[in-house]
Amino acid sequence: DKLRTLLTDAPAANPLPARKTKTGTESPAEIESALAAIRELNAQELEAILGRAALRYGQHGLLENVVARLAALVGERWRAGDLTAAHEHFASAVIRNYLMRNARPYAQNGNSPLVVVATPAGQLHELGAVMAAAAANDLGWQVIYLGTSLPAAEIAGAVLQNRALVVALSLVFPGDDPSMPLELENLRKLLPAETQLVVGGRAAESYAPTLTHLGITHT
């Protein structure tokens, strides 16, 4: 009955127009609408756009086609001064709440592998971590999301307490934090040897020598 209601209420299934980005690849039309909602600090409209995109693309498609591109654009425009820090934090909060609220209730029996997701100390931008958590959940992992800017000891404590197999960290900004190599080294030392450490995000490549030296997987 719910599916019939959705089909009845849904607009015609014609493909939505797409726009070209600077790189020449097509960007979903939802992104422009989402950026407008972010400028207006309109949480209800932004959530509605995310909901329509989820119906169109599915949960994993929502992450890849809309949320990831939107996060990149918001970051670029924040750095360019076109959006304020308030806009960036607003977008992060709304997207985080939407994704967490709509996460699939996998692995309630505790048999699925567990991943701890966070950003290390000094990394305050959380959309990358939120997307990693949502993607892992969508693939059937149990997820413990710790949030932003946590010291190595705090992250390691959560891993040990819950016997997580993987730690996923997001590095977005800054990409030149002189304390980050030591923070990553401390975390690697505190984790069991069998615990996999994965680092991604816009700034991950800036720390590639440290990541490679420590045997940390980076994407």
Side-chain angles (χ1 to χ4, degrees):
D1 290 340
K2 290 182 180 179
L3 287 172
R4 291 192 186 95
T5 300
L6 286 172
L7 287 171
T8 301
D9 294 343
N14 294 325
L16 294 176
R19 60 184 290 273
K20 295 285 186 178
T21 64
K22 292 181 180 179
T23 59
T25 58
E26 289 190 345
S27 179
E30 293 95 341
I31 289 179
E32 289 300 324
S33 300
L35 282 172
I38 290 168
R39 288 185 184 280
E40 297 169 4
L41 301 178
N42 189 334
Q44 185 175 2
E45 177 60 18
L46 181 54
E47 287 207 1
I49 293 166
L50 294 173
R52 291 193 295 270
L55 286 175
R56 180 183 181 190
Y57 301 110
Q59 184 73 359
H60 207 70
L62 167 68
L63 293 172
E64 291 192 3
N65 296 324
V66 178
V67 176
R69 299 188 190 186
L70 182 61
L73 279 174
V74 169
E76 289 172 6
R77 298 191 182 190
W78 170 73
R79 284 187 292 275
D82 188 40
L83 291 176
T84 68
H87 289 112
E88 195 269 345
H89 287 291
F90 165 81
S92 296
V94 173
I95 293 172
R96 178 193 65 224
N97 291 340
Y98 175 86
L99 292 177
M100 295 303 185
R101 189 170 60 248
N102 291 278
R104 299 181 182 180
Y106 280 127
Q108 296 300 315
N109 60 7
N111 290 328
S112 294
L114 192 147
V115 56
V116 168
V117 182
T119 76
Q123 291 285 322
L124 299 174
H125 298 265
E126 71 173 328
L127 267 183
V130 169
M131 286 187 289
N137 178 271
D138 193 56
L139 294 171
W141 285 68
Q142 295 183 79
V143 178
I144 295 179
Y145 178 71
L146 300 180
T148 61
S149 192
L150 283 177
E154 298 287 341
I155 298 172
V159 173
L160 294 173
Q161 179 181 339
N162 294 279
R163 299 180 181 178
L165 294 180
V166 177
V167 179
L169 301 179
S170 175
L171 304 180
V172 175
F173 181 87
D176 57 355
D177 183 352
S179 66
M180 185 55 63
L182 181 59
E183 196 70 20
L184 293 170
E185 182 178 353
N186 288 339
L187 179 57
R188 182 66 274 178
K189 288 180 179 178
L190 291 168
L191 293 174
E194 64 271 17
T195 303
Q196 297 295 310
L197 188 52
V198 180
V199 172
R202 180 184 295 272
E205 191 60 31
S206 300
Y207 303 101
T210 298
L211 298 173
T212 300
H213 173 70
L214 296 173
I216 297 173
T217 301
H218 62 283
T219 61

